[in-house]
């Protein structure tokens, strides 16, 4: 299988670090460049001792993030950058013929207006919104294969969209009464030197935040609207919990008609029965973040409540893998024509 | 102020241990007996080294739990026992003239049928259900003062009832569409030698459990039904998170009529403005379990979501204090005629 | 008992916060001022929601740290400031007649040369070194009672000095071969926005640091030299472990002569048998930081190893209480003539 | 490369689970049997949901541990059993021609007397002690390649022996004054339902245990004696810290002669410069368990202390990988003639 050269712009955050790990061990991708303003000139091994046993960590040095240089080095470029900044790199890299896989929010929305509403600045490259594909392979596999600009989904959105889209598409739940209650590990906040994310501020602490209008609502609602064929406005409450990795989402749905376990089971089996990275739990099992940590798997379980009539669906993922870097690699595999599971577990 | 003698039956679990801590430092209660089948004969200091600097820990020894003996020693007896077992002790102790404060579920419900539905055995003393008072001081203060049998509420129920009852009583929310999503520290599972609660099974793990019909629903729904004046059936999803202490509950309500921040604020201020152990958060602050750990306080904050029309209310408490032993001591203070805040912070 | 007015300069760090907690509940001290450049103008309740249920938290506002203003307000002033900065305040406050209890390293050493060697700048007020007392009450109780300038010991030093000084004074161990291996919770690093202390960098991590010449060695060795009557140079390795609070120190000593359990037991009993805040463990018990968290107690246990001939001594303390703010309050109690245990558990 | 069939006896504990993980993804080993009395009849996926995405997890069922059956199924058998029990299986499996890799302590010692002293029962198969090889590949690589019975080292011993043996062999340190202070994650205690290892007993806790004569001393001292050529008796203090995985060991040595950084560096470079799983840290870096978690790497750093004259060496490993199952797989790779790093990172 033909190897391709890949680069990561912004490789020093948690998502960037996870990308480095995945790409160092990928059977078909060759990591040729990692950038970091802060660490430019230093080797991977110096900044991430955990990778020091990999031979490439001794030779690969962080460089300044210059699009024109990277475009000559790499076929595929991952952007692990803040929103707003990512878009600028994307334009240059696409023009130079690279495939761009963006982990920021810059190309996840189709609407520049909604982008401005949620991100508080004009979209830096609105023309590209038409060209980008939302990088959720279980939903957009065919589009991803043909795309040059893949907008890899957010961590919370992945944990909400995977369990919800099949139910909406099948008309099993009402689009008007959706609640998502999510619990995220602290790596979701990024590697930022802020008091709020110090060990002593997070350990022995549990807290909601961003209530009631977290930015991720924009892409969640847009995707759910596509799936439902009607405008979806929903409730979403993220919480910070003291684990490094993992998102656990509990979803509350109102059935659109009389539901049975069989109908739900059949709906999910049809949607995900053959998916390598969606695990439908059976019997008494419920999702647990420790069962997906370090993997690209999203666990899903559901319970129909005969007392309330509601459908409760629960999902678990590793926010840095299926919620970020693993999913981005999954998209890379698709766009490069490699086995979708290459380099992922 | 007149001192009273108090005993704890079942003092070796987490609630029992917290009761010991509170009672050793209580200004008016004198801890005269602690029982534990397992540790009978050993001093408090031997089993709980953390109390070893308190002089009483050297002299007070765990005894076998014999109701007739304890009834002679103590005026007030706390039961920190499993449901079913607690009721038997309560009968004997009440007959002997003791005040009984039960931390189990045995006397929290008014209906023996619902007890059987949720606890899977006949109620051991159904006649006493009429006599017991639900020990939530903010709601039943006057009744607690006059009661001889106080059923101290469960940890999840406290975190749900305190934020919900005032809204239901004021008719601000619909009683038909209530969802409670709760996150609990591991001490809520008790000091039980089970694989599921080992450090390595809980650390770096987040998981729902008891979905969709956790036992605590019985007392939550009964109390909400009393508050609403109409039958309440609701959704409740508990989750286990890797902290020692704390419950964070997020509640989703449908307004009964047009709501404003002012109306909600006024409703809570009327209900809890003078309460020493309910903290209504203002401004941007949201509840955080680390701000209530070790205290008898329940924090409450709310957000009206203009996009969905829902009211989101969040609460935080220490499951072992306001959710168990602190609240039981608060009830003791009331029934003994002491200041309600004595020995509590 | 006569109340005194106390102030805290630098009340927004972890030690400052713990001082606030202790002083809000102290029976004889009245907290009249807290300073913080960052939070000046805001109330205690706004910055520390956990204190919001205390009435004073609503009225007491952080002020700018101005020595002349504070000197008029307070009889006793705690300095919870970085070294170098603390000394400047101390001079002004002492001149104005205040008692100063300094939690920084500025007045812990008798030698300005050693200060410069370890802290890399000239001592700001070398004349005061003669006047200050090292605030370890178990060793310097009488001196503390009469002092106007108390240098409260560091967290590591307390955990090392308490177990070691009696053995050295009694001549039971050699002063030439002392090793201290210490494990500290992350609050010991202070409330600083640095990447190294983020939750995800500390959780699931254990690491040594500051090897082999941590600053605390200066005061440890000076105090051990006083106790031994001969120059002590020792080994000390601090480690960072993922807990909020607690220091566990394991000490390795070479006996000076034939040792027996009885001799060691007698030595410690004589030194600490009546001490309210030193807990000598007996039988099989070993120190555990969870048994001292939130208290001013230092636990000590020892084992003579017949195989190696060494004496192994282990101690546990809460780094923020006995290792910092609790011990400072203990000194305040002494200098103010209050019961030594007032406001402490 | 020729594939071999492997089995795991005792696959439900933490070491067994880690072996399952490594062997499911091993390029040359085919996992054909896993045993567990408790889970016999259930699939891997049922007991370990985290492996459910691997196709073999659906077909492979836990069986009863019967040596005669397993001997027909597998070429190589791992024993992840308690000491005493392991030896019985080893005898039968060796007689049936299997290669046995034992993770228990049963064949680590050459002396049956020392075994009895430390494990409190007669050795079940003393004749085999001559035939077994201590499975530390960096020291016994050639012997392991030719052995049919490999005694995989304990977790603490690995973290102590790797840094110490080269120094002793080179005569750089005295064999008479060695101290090892070790910190272990809770998985080291095994998946046992005991109160001491509950989340709430370990979280926010740090504690020594097994002082001063932990069982692992027997194999550590035997191996160090071999390396030194003279009897080694040493100090070892294990501590339990609240992480899932990882051992951090700090070693204190007395130089045998004048030491320099160059000499130590040369000694380690000679011993481990080409080793794939030993990482010698340079510059300011110190070991951190988070940099080795999930890998078979042991990090080593050292500091000569000019003040005390001592040499301080620190190591970090994942107790379940290099300290147990990864190292056992490394030995399997050697004995099977595969690349030593196959299936390991």
């Amino acid at each position: 299988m033909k190897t391709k050269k890949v680069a990561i712009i912004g490789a020093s955050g948690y998502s960037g670090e996870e990308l480095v790990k995945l790409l160092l061990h990928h059977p078909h991708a060759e990591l040729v460049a990692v950038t970091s303003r802060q660490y430019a000139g230093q080797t991977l091994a110096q900044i991430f001792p955990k990778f020091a046993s990999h031979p490439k960590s001794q030779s690969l040095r962080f460089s300044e993030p210059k699009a024109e240089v990277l475009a000559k080095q790499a076929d595929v470029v991952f952007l692990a950058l803040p929103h707003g900044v990512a878009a600028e790199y994307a334009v240059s890299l696409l023009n130079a013929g690279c495939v761009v896989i963006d982990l920021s929010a810059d190309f996840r929305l189709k609407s520049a207006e909604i982008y401005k509403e949620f991100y508080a600045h004009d979209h830096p490259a609105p023309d590209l919104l038409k060209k980008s594909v939302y990088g959720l392979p279980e939903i957009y596999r065919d589009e991803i294969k043909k795309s040059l600009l893949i907008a890899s989904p957010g961590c919370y959105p992945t944990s909400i969209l995977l369990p919800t889209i099949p139910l909406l598409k099948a008309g099993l739940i009402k689009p008007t009464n959706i609640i998502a209650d999510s619990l995220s590990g602290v790596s979701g906040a990024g590697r930022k030197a802020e008091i709020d994310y110090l060990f002593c501020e997070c350990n022995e602490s549990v807290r909601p935040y961003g209530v009631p209008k977290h930015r991720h609502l924009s892409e969640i609602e847009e995707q759910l609207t596509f799936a439902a064929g009607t405008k979806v406005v929903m409730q979403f409450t993220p919480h910070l919990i003291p684990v490094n990795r993992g998102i656990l989402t509990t979803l509350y749905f109102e059935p659109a008609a009389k539901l049975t376990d069989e109908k739900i089971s059949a709906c999910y089996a049809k949607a995900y029965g053959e998916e390598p990275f969606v695990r439908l739990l059976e019997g008494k099992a419920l999702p647990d973040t420790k069962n997906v940590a370090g993997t690209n798997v999203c666990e899903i379980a559901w319970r129909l409540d005969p007392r309330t009539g509601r459908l409760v669906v629960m999902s678990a993922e590793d926010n840095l893998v299926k919620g970020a870097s693993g999913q981005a690699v999954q998209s890379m595999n698709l766009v490069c024509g490699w086995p979708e599971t290459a380099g992922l577990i």
Side-chain angles (χ1 to χ4, degrees), chain A:
Chain A
M1 212 157 289
K2 196 159 166 266
T3 292
K4 285 191 190 287
K5 295 180 193 301
V6 303
I8 305 167
I9 307 188
S12 64
Y14 290 124
S15 294
E17 180 183 349
E18 190 72 18
L19 271 175
V20 169
K21 180 181 165 192
L22 292 168
L23 293 171
L24 282 178
H25 296 95
H26 196 281
H28 310 302
E30 184 194 353
L31 184 60
V32 296
V34 289
T35 84
S36 161
R37 287 223 159 81
Q38 186 181 3
Y39 300 129
Q42 298 192 264
T43 66
L44 261 182
Q46 286 172 304
I47 302 307
F48 294 127
K50 67 172 65 166
F51 300 139
S53 298
H54 192 288
K56 195 171 289 179
S57 75
Q58 306 295 339
S59 56
L60 201 55
R61 285 178 189 278
F62 285 95
S63 60
E64 292 285 343
K66 294 181 182 166
E68 62 276 26
V69 177
L70 293 161
K72 287 176 193 153
Q73 296 177 287
D75 307 304
V76 179
V77 181
F78 291 89
L79 307 179
L81 295 166
H83 63 83
V85 181
E88 296 174 38
Y89 283 93
V91 174
S92 308
L93 292 163
L94 287 167
N95 286 343
C98 294
V99 171
V100 174
I101 303 178
D102 179 15
L103 280 79
S104 89
D106 275 356
F107 299 103
R108 292 178 191 159
L109 296 172
K110 291 297 152 199
S111 160
E113 290 72 37
I114 295 180
Y115 182 90
K116 188 174 181 183
E117 177 191 347
F118 278 84
Y119 291 92
H121 59 83
D122 286 322
H123 194 282
D127 291 350
L128 282 178
L129 294 181
K130 288 189 273 306
K131 298 187 183 165
S132 73
V133 170
Y134 193 69
L136 196 57
E138 289 77 10
I139 309 299
Y140 293 108
R141 180 166 286 119
D142 293 339
E143 293 84 343
I144 292 168
K145 288 179 183 172
K146 295 174 293 192
S147 181
L148 297 177
L149 174 55
I150 296 161
S152 218
C155 50
Y156 286 122
T158 299
S159 82
I160 293 169
L161 295 173
L162 285 176
T164 307
I165 285 175
L167 301 173
L168 273 182
K169 282 189 174 170
L172 297 184
I173 56 169
K174 291 192 183 165
T176 49
N177 197 3
I178 298 175
I179 295 174
D181 196 285
S182 293
L183 321 177
S184 173
V186 185
S187 62
R191 192 178 254 133
K192 284 178 298 194
E194 296 183 7
I195 295 281
D196 279 355
Y197 307 115
L198 291 180
F199 182 83
C200 295
E201 305 299 316
C202 295
N203 186 40
E204 289 294 295
S205 159
V206 195
R207 54 192 202 248
Y209 68 98
V211 185
K213 199 181 173 187
H214 187 279
R215 281 171 169 174
H216 279 176
L217 267 172
S218 55
E219 66 186 277
I220 300 169
E221 290 184 345
E222 192 176 86
Q223 290 300 322
L224 293 186
T225 294
F226 294 156
T230 178
K231 177 77 179 166
V232 172
V233 177
M234 62 171 292
Q235 201 72 48
F236 168 53
T237 312
H239 300 76
L240 200 68
I241 49 169
V243 298
N244 281 2
R245 288 163 173 252
I247 286 181
L248 192 295
T249 289
T250 302
L251 291 149
Y252 300 94
F253 298 123
E254 188 180 348
K258 173 74 185 152
L259 276 187
T260 61
D261 281 338
E262 291 68 32
K263 275 191 198 171
I264 305 162
S265 186
C267 173
Y268 277 132
K270 187 182 159 207
Y272 299 134
E274 305 298 314
E275 286 294 340
F277 297 122
V278 178
R279 185 185 301 151
L280 302 171
L281 300 184
E282 288 164 19
K284 292 187 177 175
L286 290 175
D288 186 331
T289 57
K290 74 168 174 276
N291 290 335
V292 295
T295 82
N296 199 45
V297 170
C298 178
E299 283 192 341
I300 299 176
W302 64 93
R303 294 291 184 276
L304 262 177
D305 187 348
R307 300 169 72 258
T308 65
R310 270 195 210 84
L311 171 63
V312 180
V313 183
M314 295 144 284
S315 73
E317 65 170 29
D318 183 324
N319 59 305
L320 293 180
V321 189
K322 186 60 179 169
S325 304
Q327 185 147 263
V329 167
Q330 192 181 353
S331 283
M332 174 188 73
N333 289 342
L334 288 169
V335 78
C336 291
W338 299 326
E340 188 168 339
T341 58
L344 296 169
I345 55 165

